[in-house]
Amino acid sequence: MSEANNVTLTIDKQTVRVPAGTLVVDAAKKAGIDIPVFCYHPKMEPVGMCRMCLVEIGRPSKDRETGETVLDEHGDPVIQFGPKLDTGCTIEVSEGMVVRGFTEKVMDARLEMLEFILTSHPLDCPICDKGGECPLQNLTMRYGPGKSRFLLDDKIRLAKQLPLGELIYLDRERCIQCARCTRFQDEIVDDPVIGFFNRGRALEIVTFSDPGFDSYWSGNTTDICPVGALTTVDFRFEARPWELNSAASICNQCPVGCNFTFNTRREAKTGGDFVIKRVMPRQNEAVNEIWICDKGRFSSYHFSEREDRLTQPMIRRDGMLQPASWGEALDFAAGKLEELGSGLVALAGGRLSNEDLFNLKSLAEHLGGKAVLNTHVAGGDIVSRHGFKAGTDLAKLGKGDAVLVIACDLEEEAPIWWLRVKQAAERGARLVVANPRRTKLDASASDTVRYEYGEELSALDRLPERFTEAGSLAIFYGAEGLGLAGSAALAAALADLLSGSGVADGPCSGLVAVHGRPNDQGAWELGLRPAADLAGALAGAKAVYIAAADPAGDGVFEKGDRFVIVQDVLLTPTAELADVVLPASGFMERDGSYTSGERRVQRFYTTLPPPPETRPDFTITAQVAARVGLELEGRHAGRLFAMLAEAVPAFSGLSFNRLAEVEEQWPIVGREDMYYGGTTYANYQGLGAHLVRQADGEDVWAGETRAGEAGAQKRGARDAKNSGLLAVPVTRLYDRGTVISQSNTLAPRLAERHLGVHPETARKHRLLDGQPAHIRAGGREAKLVVRVTEAAPEDVLLVPRSMGLDLDGPSEAAVKSLVKEVA
Amino acid sequence: MRSGELGGAAGAAPPTPQFTGPLYAMNDLLKKYGSEIETVLAKYPVEQKRSAVMPLLYIAQREKMYVSERDMAEIGEILDLDPTEVGSIVGYYTLYYDRPGGTSRIQVCTDLPCALRGADAFAAGLCERLGIQLGETTADGAVTIEAVMCLAACDRAPMFQLQNGSGLKYYENQTVESTLSLIEKLKK
Amino acid sequence: MEYILLRHRDIPNLHELDVYVRHGGFEAFNQVVTKMKPEDVVEEVFKSGLRGRGGAGFPTGLKWRFIDKGNSPRYVVANADESEPGTFKDREIMEGNPFQFFEGVMICAFAVGSNTAYNYLRGEFWELGDFLDGKLAELEKAGYLGDNLFGTGYSLRIHNHLGAGAYICGEETALLESLEGKLGQPRLRPPFPPSFGLYGKPTIVNNVETFANVPPILTKGADWYRTIGTEKSPGTKVFSLCGNVEKPGNYELPLGTTFRELIFEHGGGIPEGRGIKAIMPAGASSAIIIANDEALDTPMDYESVPRVGSMLGSASIIVIDDSVAMDWLVRKTLHFFKHESCGKCTPCREGTYWMAHLIDRIHTGQADADQVGLLDDVARNMEGKCLCALGEFAIQAVITGIERFPEDWKKEVPEKMM
Ligand SMILES: Cc1cc2nc3c(=O)[nH]c(=O)nc-3n(C[C@H](O)[C@H](O)[C@H](O)COP(=O)(O)O)c2cc1C
Ligand code: SF4
Ligand code: FES
């Protein structure tokens, strides 16, 4: 906002200069002055409900005739105050305004409002989870009455432990009817699945959705609830906030890279060890603002607590995996690799950090082999040339800008991006959504384009415009119905679209691949590439070194007589086949960095001491490397990152220190201000930094030798059309992937392994909703439950990834109900 | 008919799986009141069909005199609302009910103006004759007697409104006797 | 005096369309649509000095002037929620003289360039809604509503919309929320409906009685209208008279008529020879007036009533005789407001609940004088801090009941309670 749009006002004798349109409470907060609020939240429209923010507001009085400001004998403007107090949360600042927040009248009003609120509020702070970080508690201490004149006998008695579904509990006595939760669900995330019931003092929060409080965002309501009315099922009655330690981390569930904080505590039940008690969002306004989705909150760390964590290296002896010492295991692995010479394939998963991947790739290349990325989304190399760059922030997209989202169910694939794109549209950006079926983002779109699966490229010809007039153009493509070849072709076409628009260098222009894993983009930037034919690549190798991937579980790997090293946290089906198993530490047990899909590199910090016999992936790789004559940094992630930044142009200029830089963010959260932004953690550990955009080049990965793969997939789609049924891979947020499956909290929310079918198609193929069916597609088969849904196009089977049948791309399918028909 | 009455396994048909899913989940309200619902929807701009939620709730309530969760879901489906948004409306307004009561509700105004003209005594007398308390339903489930706020008939107290499936009707300048005979008629 | 609004009392079957038309019905609307410019209609109403009859007495023409002409579509909404305890005038107008009311809505719609109007009726007016649906159908059939009215390009439709039992939906922004299918809770203001109303579009909300005044103003002119009533409160008003009075009912009288004339000449005085103790001139929302001679001789208009410490409001005059104790009366009003508080803002939600508990104890003799003081204090703590006027209404009877009738609160507290 330019200086010209600023206004000057006085708040409690302090002169404050803020942009016109700023609300009085925000202006005060910016100046470090507290005006208490309950219902107001800086991320939502003001509603003026709680009346906690009442202050005296005066304005310079104007002469009726001349319109001139009236001056007193000292030549100062005469300030006119209204007879009543005003709500600071609903009134915008104006030039010359005078706000008084600490007069007797105002202090009385605060006391009175608190007394009103406390008439119905239980005094159960000693057992309340919010105690210690509770706005009502804090503000009562500061402004409230010492005791209540309300008769205890008249106190309302209501349900105290009411599950609103499986994730969130409601204490109706504690609710102060501020509507922050219901407004968050409605205004911010467009899931109005909780609401008020009754009216007056009988107002209570209810849900009629099925399942209750059916939203991927529910946990955020517990952060902004200014009392202990809403609590998460995983934390309630678990610990007191002041007993908790915290460590900054990055979510490992999707490419957005939400910043969060792990809260830990030593517990008797783990023999005095630290355990993670909860996950709280950590503010990064350029990434996740102050929110995180429920998948990140409720399922990101549970795998580390598994009883069957790999905690000991193992070597296959006599056909059985047997415990070994680290020395033995490393010697054995390295010896074999040297013995087998070139021909190593290192398969890496995108859950590995930048440092892990860098080391692994160095090792593979040293041995004359190559490092392969295990992913279903291609185009990351194109993204490194056309992706986001320093200064890009989705929050800056608005009027005059454009966003294209294609082949993507954004809320399911990367929830926070869905939110950020929706908000960009609400700020006036033109949003075009192109997808074969309806998704939640359609509701925010200015235009939607429908196409048939396999017709992604021709859909681009039907876009409503070429965006040549846009200020910035952000493009997201995902994995809806696409395999590697399809997404490679789409990414290339989108890069052309972006370049052709002429606005590729707009401040927030860029191409984003909605990858499946947190660091897939990092892997691409570091030079790892997928294999068009992963099964073939693995089958052709003499030795394979698999880290954070499970090709056997995915059905693309057989051991044969290959030498197999597996480095992982759990005994996956692949690990069970290995010759050597190397136990890795989880990401919360070490430090490192991830590169988000927006090409922002962010640090995560050590939260828990690692289980004794586990080591960070980059360390293990370095130790193997040392034994084959390659010197790699294996001890210090920061030092390794510095080397990486030297070696890889995209990372140039970055360092762990640089990534740890912070700056003041708005709204202010944490600190004393819990009543304001909620219990989201302030960010003191780093906002991260963007990679440098790479120059355009020729060597685009397009399925290696099988450059025509996309065409083949398209033909596959067309063949299927003729034969009747096309199965396509789609992504569901709550799938049955390895990490999410370890969480008991989310378990009840995970859908059964299913496939989605249009009602007409179901009828044609005699498929019954909720009943099992046998499906054969893409050379694989599975038994899945049928879900009839109008979201599916006709003659298409929607097959969610990691839900029992993983497809490489659209494939012809045969399906048969497993229910005997009733005559 | 309970399956046991069929006498033996031979007669018991296996449960027939039904199509569910949105398209087949036959929206009962639409099926039954389709054209009426269309007339209601026509009153409001197409993109503002949420406005129809109150009239649709009256329709849903017509038969059972309360709105079930299924009704909420069906109305939500028609109006593109979450069932919770429909449920909220049921909870907020006093003329909708989320649970069954008497088939007819006799709602006596006992607010200040009517009370100045004997409404409290009327309501008490009526309840006494029916052997129930205010807010209760007669044993046969026929009528619930309730006290309500001002009904804009202050000059004709004692008065009440009768709410049942067929709508809502005012009865003014009432006596306990006249009301009892109305109740008798209602029971027929 | 000749009726201007309750003309059905003079003309039998005025609710029949042909009767209404025979008595000059829709001449004004026809004139307006075929011969007048919308701005001129607004100016005529402005000049008449007509003030809103829904309670606040806001100049109707001024409100119409505020309509945001730069935004469309625009809406007109009639406030037929009539829920203030003691008010029953709109109902009689709509039952007896429905076409005059609708004609007023139609003239307003033309004046502000609206093609759609809604009539928001309280849900309890179910039968009336049915009746009015029939009337609207007749109007469409007769060509007074629909497309290309009187051969011009102007189109207009009116729809009835039933509420479902919520006093707060009489507050115009809560009404609009309710009409949008949401919880009927008041909005923040500004913006006001003429710029941001129904569906966020410019909207005029007026009371039923306000609209019913409009056709005669256009037929006979603003100057004629100003000859009735007082200078600042022109016109007649339908006073709903009820409570302890011999002949309760609606009385259409010029604004400025005294309480005494209404209660004793028209209303027949207090029954059973009892004395008059107090008057609530604006229904349950009133500050209670001590019914002394000064009060009784006060003219009922928007300026004069505040001089005796109250407001004219919707002019629903509740007469209280000397057998009524204030703690009983306040208990009635408090239970009403507790029941009707929407719950959106803290002071009203908690305050009405708290006060209702206090008055129950006080009325049933379970509380001492301190509790009366506390009741007064709670009311004063609400004062000026609520989001809408309901909270303000709720404390009027409490504060004035205690202040002006102190002897009514000196209750014996049974020994065992102390
Ligand atoms: C709590 C509350 C209840 C109200 N109830 C009504 C009502 O029932 N009818 C009405 O016409 N106005 C009512 N009003 C006034 C309306 O808000 C609004 O001022 C009026 O409809 C405007 O019309 P008018 O200018 O023609 O009076 C109420 C206001 C408040 C604050
Ligand atoms: S004063 Fe507050 S709670 Fe009361 S009705 Fe108005 S907004 Fe609702
Ligand atoms: S009313 Fe301003 S913060 Fe609640």
Side-chain angles (χ1 to χ4, degrees):
Chain A
M1 187 111 2
S2 74
E3 183 59 14
N5 285 327
N6 283 357
V7 298
T8 305
L9 69 156
T10 314
I11 310 179
D12 293 326
K13 305 218 165 82
Q14 191 173 323
T15 305
V16 180
R17 198 158 163 76
V18 290
T22 305
L23 296 167
V24 169
V25 285
D26 289 343
K29 181 61 66 185
K30 284 180 177 164
I33 299 164
D34 279 330
I35 298 177
V37 299
F38 285 119
C39 69
Y40 178 69
H41 188 281
K43 291 278 183 192
M44 294 189 271
E45 289 295 311
V47 284
M49 292 167 68
C50 74
R51 321 303 282 174
M52 193 60 208
C53 63
L54 290 169
V55 284
E56 289 187 55
I57 294 181
R59 296 177 180 84
S61 60
K62 300 259 189 257
D63 189 295
R64 287 238 171 148
E65 311 270 276
T66 62
E68 296 282 309
T69 305
V70 184
L71 302 179
D72 64 12
E73 63 270 29
H74 309 294
D76 293 330
V78 174
I79 304 296
Q80 187 131 29
F81 285 85
K84 294 196 216 170
L85 297 173
D86 284 303
T87 44
C89 75
T90 64
I91 292 178
E92 293 179 0
V93 296
S94 61
E95 191 61 42
M97 180 183 267
V98 174
V99 179
R100 296 184 190 148
F102 287 96
T103 59
E104 198 183 325
K105 199 170 165 188
V106 172
M107 296 305 272
D108 281 353
R110 287 180 191 162
L111 182 133
E112 288 156 14
M113 291 310 115
L114 282 163
E115 187 183 32
F116 276 134
I117 290 173
L118 292 171
T119 56
S120 303
H121 195 80
L123 298 175
D124 59 354
C125 306
I127 56 144
C128 177
D129 290 305
K130 201 81 171 189
E133 54 184 18
C134 174
L136 179 56
Q137 194 180 37
N138 296 350
L139 292 177
T140 301
M141 303 302 280
R142 199 158 352 150
Y143 302 109
K147 59 192 248 248
S148 176
R149 297 176 293 171
F150 189 78
L151 267 179
L152 202 63
D153 291 356
D154 293 342
K155 203 145 228 169
I156 234 168
R157 298 267 171 253
L158 296 166
K160 284 197 71 74
Q161 295 187 31
L162 190 77
L164 291 176
E166 297 94 344
L167 302 176
I168 307 294
Y169 269 73
L170 170 66
D171 184 319
R172 287 210 167 120
E173 289 189 349
R174 292 182 190 153
C175 172
I176 62 165
Q177 286 82 22
C178 69
R180 272 185 172 187
C181 58
T182 54
R183 287 182 287 132
F184 169 83
Q185 286 299 134
D186 185 18
E187 249 177 67
I188 300 202
V189 298
D190 197 16
D191 276 342
V193 295
I194 53 171
F196 276 132
F197 200 73
N198 295 329
R199 68 182 184 222
R201 188 58 197 85
L203 272 187
E204 55 190 25
I205 301 291
V206 292
T207 176
F208 287 103
S209 70
D210 180 21
F213 205 161
D214 183 16
S215 172
Y216 291 150
W217 305 95
S218 64
N220 295 300
T221 61
T222 66
D223 297 331
I224 56 174
C225 176
V227 292
L230 294 173
T231 49
T232 59
V233 68
D234 64 336
F235 186 67
R236 56 197 296 270
F237 304 135
E238 279 289 323
R240 311 314 309 263
W242 57 84
E243 308 163 345
L244 299 172
N245 295 326
S246 52
S249 196
I250 301 293
C251 184
N252 63 337
Q253 299 273 36
C254 89
V256 173
C258 288
N259 295 204
F260 62 40
T261 294
F262 283 123
N263 279 148
T264 62
R265 186 177 76 160
R266 285 183 186 278
E267 299 233 314
K269 67 181 180 208
T270 51
D273 283 349
F274 279 102
V275 289
I276 294 176
K277 297 306 294 178
R278 64 175 181 179
V279 178
M280 299 292 274
R282 187 166 55 103
Q283 185 179 32
N284 191 338
E285 289 298 321
V287 177
N288 54 304
E289 305 176 22
I290 57 171
W291 318 118
I292 53 174
C293 78
D294 286 357
K295 187 176 184 180
R297 186 186 299 262
F298 294 126
S299 76
S300 54
Y301 63 91
H302 301 77
F303 72 88
S304 71
E305 297 173 347
R306 282 268 302 237
E307 287 291 315
D308 55 350
R309 266 293 289 277
L310 290 173
T311 51
Q312 173 86 55
M314 292 188 285
I315 296 177
R316 186 169 300 278
R317 294 191 182 107
D318 309 325
M320 296 261 290
L321 282 174
Q322 311 255 356
S325 72
W326 269 106
E328 282 175 311
L330 292 168
D331 287 345
F332 179 59
K336 271 292 200 185
L337 289 180
E338 266 197 321
E339 176 190 321
L340 293 170
S342 65
L344 168 69
V345 170
L347 180 67
R351 282 206 312 277
L352 294 178
S353 73
N354 293 318
E355 300 74 24
D356 304 335
L357 293 164
F358 180 70
N359 271 1
L360 194 62
K361 178 162 177 279
S362 306
L363 172 65
E365 285 168 359
H366 175 75
L367 290 171
K370 62 175 173 184
V372 171
L373 177 64
N374 186 37
T375 181
H376 56 265
V377 181
D381 48 350
I382 299 173
V383 171
S384 58
R385 293 151 187 178
H386 300 272
F388 286 174
K389 56 193 183 302
T392 306
D393 180 350
L394 293 175
K396 293 183 188 152
L397 289 169
K399 218 172 218 66
D401 298 320
V403 184
L404 167 65
V405 178
I406 180 166
C408 185
D409 188 343
L410 202 48
E411 196 194 26
E412 299 283 342
E413 297 184 28
I416 287 284
W417 281 342
W418 166 83
L419 178 62
R420 308 265 289 169
V421 168
K422 164 188 178 265
Q423 290 174 341
E426 285 164 359
R427 284 188 301 268
R430 175 160 197 187
L431 171 63
V432 179
V433 177
N435 205 56
R437 65 186 169 94
R438 205 187 144 68
T439 68
K440 189 169 165 186
L441 192 59
D442 285 18
S444 313
S446 345
D447 302 271
T448 51
V449 176
R450 288 269 177 276
Y451 59 87
E452 288 185 14
Y453 286 98
E455 298 292 333
E456 289 76 16
L457 299 188
S458 54
L460 291 182
D461 299 332
R462 290 193 286 117
L463 295 179
E465 60 160 319
R466 312 313 295 174
F467 309 107
T468 50
E469 304 291 312
S472 288
L473 169 60
I475 305 181
F476 291 78
Y477 70 95
E480 172 85 15
L482 292 176
L484 281 173
S487 54
L490 179 59
L494 292 171
D496 289 345
L497 176 72
L498 187 60
S499 308
S501 71
V503 298
D505 291 324
C508 297
S509 289
L511 179 63
V512 181
V514 186
H515 296 288
R517 302 262 143 62
N519 202 30
D520 279 346
Q521 185 59 34
W524 284 89
E525 303 278 354
L526 290 163
L528 281 86
R529 297 289 176 267
D533 174 15
L534 181 58
L538 292 172
K542 280 186 276 184
V544 293
Y545 185 158
I546 301 171
D550 181 18
D554 297 341
V556 293
F557 179 57
E558 276 165 33
K559 164 113 188 10
D561 54 5
R562 265 162 301 284
F563 179 67
V564 179
I565 304 171
V566 171
Q567 181 175 307
D568 215 320
V569 290
L570 296 174
L571 191 69
T572 60
T574 310
E576 283 178 33
L577 302 175
D579 295 298
V580 189
V581 175
L582 304 171
S585 307
F587 75 107
M588 70 292 281
E589 297 155 356
R590 44 164 291 195
D591 64 345
S593 67
Y594 284 146
T595 305
S596 79
E598 293 181 55
R599 303 185 76 239
R600 179 182 287 267
V601 188
Q602 307 187 99
R603 285 180 67 178
F604 54 85
Y605 296 77
T606 309
T607 302
L608 297 174
E613 288 298 312
T614 69
R615 294 178 181 177
D617 288 273
F618 69 88
T619 305
I620 302 172
T621 308
Q623 290 172 340
V624 174
R627 287 166 169 76
V628 297
L630 173 66
E631 198 63 42
L632 294 176
E633 171 60 43
R635 259 167 301 193
H636 194 277
R639 207 172 304 140
L640 174 53
F641 185 83
M643 293 161 65
L644 175 166
E646 282 283 304
V648 186
F651 288 77
S652 64
L654 299 185
S655 66
F656 263 27
N657 281 343
R658 169 77 185 81
L659 302 185
E661 283 171 16
V662 290
E663 57 193 48
E664 171 137 321
Q665 302 188 73
W666 180 259
I668 292 166
V669 298
R671 295 192 240 164
E672 292 284 288
D673 303 302
M674 236 93 74
Y675 66 82
Y676 197 65
T679 48
T680 298
Y681 275 75
N683 196 327
Y684 298 118
Q685 298 86 359
L687 301 173
H690 273 107
L691 296 178
V692 181
R693 229 186 226 185
Q694 295 305 291
D696 217 348
E698 281 304 304
D699 57 333
V700 169
W701 186 91
E704 290 166 345
T705 50
R706 301 212 261 155
E709 181 81 3
Q713 279 197 0
K714 212 160 129 182
R715 269 197 307 285
R718 218 174 293 122
D719 289 348
K721 270 255 110 66
N722 299 336
S723 82
L725 271 180
L726 180 71
V728 297
V730 296
T731 302
R732 291 282 310 259
L733 186 67
Y734 289 174
D735 58 11
R736 294 198 167 253
T738 321
V739 174
I740 194 174
S741 302
Q742 313 309 328
S743 160
N744 289 333
T745 313
L746 272 190
R749 283 289 159 102
L750 304 193
E752 78 274 79
R753 296 180 167 79
H754 69 273
L755 77 147
V757 193
H758 188 271
E760 263 315 298
T761 312
R763 218 182 43 174
K764 212 154 61 183
H765 296 268
R766 300 173 170 276
L767 300 173
L768 301 173
D769 188 57
Q771 302 294 332
H774 180 268
I775 165 169
R776 187 194 308 272
R780 290 172 212 169
E781 53 190 317
K783 188 178 123 179
L784 300 173
V785 170
V786 173
R787 284 264 188 89
V788 175
T789 160
E790 276 174 297
E794 285 193 43
D795 300 320
V796 165
L797 305 176
L798 301 178
V799 185
R801 296 186 169 87
S802 298
M803 291 277 247
L805 181 67
D806 277 298
L807 298 173
D808 295 333
S811 341
E812 198 179 334
V815 63
K816 190 171 178 326
S817 175
L818 292 176
V819 182
K820 271 226 265 353
E821 286 192 41
V822 189
Chain B
M1 193 188 294
R2 279 182 290 126
S3 59
E5 292 165 8
L6 286 168
T16 317
Q18 296 280 313
F19 284 116
T20 52
L23 200 72
Y24 294 99
M26 296 303 184
N27 192 305
D28 279 340
L29 287 176
L30 269 185
K31 253 191 325 195
K32 241 184 263 175
Y33 305 107
S35 65
E36 197 177 339
I37 290 174
E38 264 172 40
T39 315
V40 169
L41 284 173
K43 289 186 180 183
Y44 310 99
V46 193
E47 66 288 354
Q48 303 290 354
K49 57 182 175 175
R50 179 178 187 149
S51 280
V53 66
M54 294 176 71
L56 293 203
L57 282 169
Y58 280 122
I59 294 177
Q61 188 165 277
R62 199 174 287 167
E63 280 173 35
K64 342 178 261 301
M65 266 304 280
Y66 78 99
V67 183
S68 66
E69 285 199 28
R70 182 178 170 134
D71 295 327
M72 297 175 195
E74 290 190 355
I75 291 176
E77 203 171 54
I78 299 169
L79 302 180
D80 286 338
L81 294 175
D82 188 88
T84 309
E85 294 174 286
V86 182
S88 272
I89 303 289
V90 175
Y92 188 83
Y93 296 95
T94 52
L95 291 179
Y96 302 126
Y97 309 92
D98 67 333
R99 61 201 63 183
T103 323
S104 293
R105 290 174 182 263
I106 288 186
Q107 301 174 322
V108 185
C109 172
T110 58
D111 213 341
L112 176 62
C114 279
L116 288 170
R117 304 186 71 81
D120 284 322
F122 166 76
L126 184 60
C127 286
E128 192 186 322
R129 293 284 295 272
L130 291 168
I132 54 172
Q133 301 278 316
L134 262 182
E136 290 181 352
T137 305
T138 52
D140 57 3
V143 286
T144 304
I145 309 286
E146 292 164 310
V148 295
M149 299 305 167
C150 181
L151 294 174
C154 321
D155 54 337
R156 302 174 198 171
M159 64 79 62
F160 59 84
Q161 64 183 359
L162 170 71
Q163 193 189 6
N164 58 24
S166 47
L168 209 151
K169 228 170 123 59
Y170 276 24
Y171 292 82
E172 300 172 317
N173 297 318
Q174 290 291 297
T175 60
V176 172
E177 292 310 323
S178 68
T179 310
L180 287 171
S181 67
L182 172 74
I183 292 174
E184 278 318 303
K185 258 190 268 159
L186 285 173
K187 286 184 178 174
K188 286 191 193 125
Chain C
M1 195 205 77
E2 200 190 340
Y3 285 117
I4 298 172
L5 305 167
L6 305 181
R7 286 163 64 219
H8 54 282
R9 291 187 175 185
D10 286 336
I11 307 167
N13 297 324
L14 190 62
H15 62 272
E16 305 288 351
L17 182 55
D18 54 340
V19 179
Y20 181 71
V21 170
R22 236 183 299 130
H23 287 85
F26 296 111
E27 269 169 27
F29 183 53
N30 186 328
Q31 284 282 322
V32 158
V33 172
T34 55
K35 305 223 167 71
M36 283 176 82
K37 287 211 294 271
E39 308 81 87
D40 298 342
V41 181
V42 173
E43 285 322 299
E44 193 66 22
V45 173
F46 181 79
K47 269 190 357 222
S48 76
L50 172 63
R51 298 177 64 166
R53 303 295 195 238
F58 190 83
T60 305
L62 186 59
K63 185 186 286 188
W64 293 11
R65 272 189 189 173
F66 286 151
I67 191 88
D68 177 1
K69 286 265 182 189
N71 194 351
S72 64
R74 295 181 279 277
Y75 294 99
V76 171
V77 176
N79 188 340
D81 193 60
E82 190 159 63
S83 304
E84 180 66 45
T87 317
F88 42 87
K89 63 192 180 69
D90 297 338
R91 184 180 157 209
E92 180 174 346
I93 294 172
M94 289 185 287
E95 281 172 354
N97 193 5
F99 293 116
Q100 184 169 328
F101 155 56
F102 280 136
E103 188 174 358
V105 173
M106 290 149 74
I107 292 169
C108 173
F110 177 81
V112 300
S114 160
N115 305 106
T116 311
Y118 293 96
N119 179 30
Y120 187 100
L121 295 141
R122 61 180 296 180
E124 293 83 350
F125 288 170
W126 173 288
E127 288 175 283
L128 180 55
D130 240 15
F131 169 80
L132 294 178
D133 277 348
K135 298 294 153 197
L136 288 175
E138 283 180 48
L139 286 178
E140 287 221 21
K141 213 162 136 218
Y144 293 111
L145 286 175
D147 293 326
N148 302 325
L149 298 174
F150 311 116
T152 70
Y154 182 64
S155 313
L156 174 65
R157 284 186 175 74
I158 304 179
H159 307 287
N160 292 310
H161 182 103
L162 279 182
Y167 165 69
I168 188 61
C169 289
E171 194 284 330
E172 57 187 6
T173 59
L175 181 153
L176 295 173
E177 287 286 296
S178 177
L179 185 47
E180 290 181 6
K182 301 176 186 153
L183 297 192
Q185 294 186 324
R187 296 176 181 169
L188 287 177
R189 298 182 307 171
F192 294 90
S195 55
F196 188 94
L198 184 62
Y199 310 128
K201 297 293 178 183
T203 302
I204 296 296
V205 184
N206 275 128
N207 171 258
V208 170
E209 184 186 350
T210 311
F211 281 122
N213 274 287
V214 171
I217 288 175
L218 277 133
T219 313
K220 302 186 184 168
D223 295 337
W224 160 80
Y225 193 76
R226 281 197 166 276
T227 62
I228 311 160
T230 71
E231 194 206 328
K232 291 198 168 146
S233 302
T236 60
K237 175 84 191 75
V238 181
F239 295 93
S240 292
L241 181 65
C242 67
N244 300 132
V245 61
E246 201 60 63
K247 292 188 278 174
N250 287 316
Y251 295 90
E252 181 181 346
L253 299 165
L255 280 159
T257 305
T258 63
F259 284 109
R260 193 188 298 280
E261 180 183 337
L262 173 69
I263 297 168
F264 290 93
E265 272 177 43
H266 304 285
I270 315 301
E272 295 165 25
R274 286 195 296 267
I276 181 166
K277 175 173 180 173
I279 303 169
M280 298 183 78
S285 304
S286 311
I288 307 168
I289 303 175
I290 306 170
N292 52 22
D293 280 341
E294 186 203 348
L296 287 172
D297 290 325
T298 300
M300 296 183 290
D301 59 54
Y302 296 103
E303 286 72 44
S304 306
V305 180
R307 278 190 235 126
V308 285
S310 195
M311 303 272 261
L312 184 59
S314 54
S316 15
I317 317 294
I318 307 176
V319 181
I320 319 288
D321 75 19
D322 55 16
S323 70
V324 177
M326 281 301 148
D327 61 321
W328 175 87
L329 181 147
V330 167
R331 188 183 188 209
K332 279 285 176 195
T333 64
L334 275 180
H335 277 273
F336 172 78
F337 287 111
K338 174 192 157 200
H339 188 261
E340 301 301 340
S341 166
C342 78
K344 187 168 180 174
C345 75
T346 304
C348 173
R349 178 185 68 238
E350 305 294 342
T352 53
Y353 177 80
W354 192 356
M355 291 192 298
H357 275 286
L358 287 169
I359 194 71
D360 281 354
R361 287 173 191 280
I362 293 166
H363 177 68
T364 53
Q366 300 176 57
D368 53 27
D370 283 359
Q371 299 285 298
V372 178
L374 179 57
L375 173 65
D376 189 53
D377 207 34
V378 172
R380 289 180 194 276
N381 287 354
M382 288 172 64
E383 197 172 2
K385 303 193 187 78
C386 296
L387 187 145
C388 83
L390 187 147
E392 228 56 56
F393 294 168
I395 62 174
Q396 296 305 318
V398 180
I399 291 177
T400 55
I402 295 174
E403 189 177 276
R404 298 177 188 173
F405 303 88
E407 63 289 353
D408 285 25
W409 303 86
K410 294 191 186 110
K411 288 215 156 195
E412 286 285 309
V413 181
E415 199 99 5
K416 58 181 176 358
M417 298 285 180
M418 297 188 80

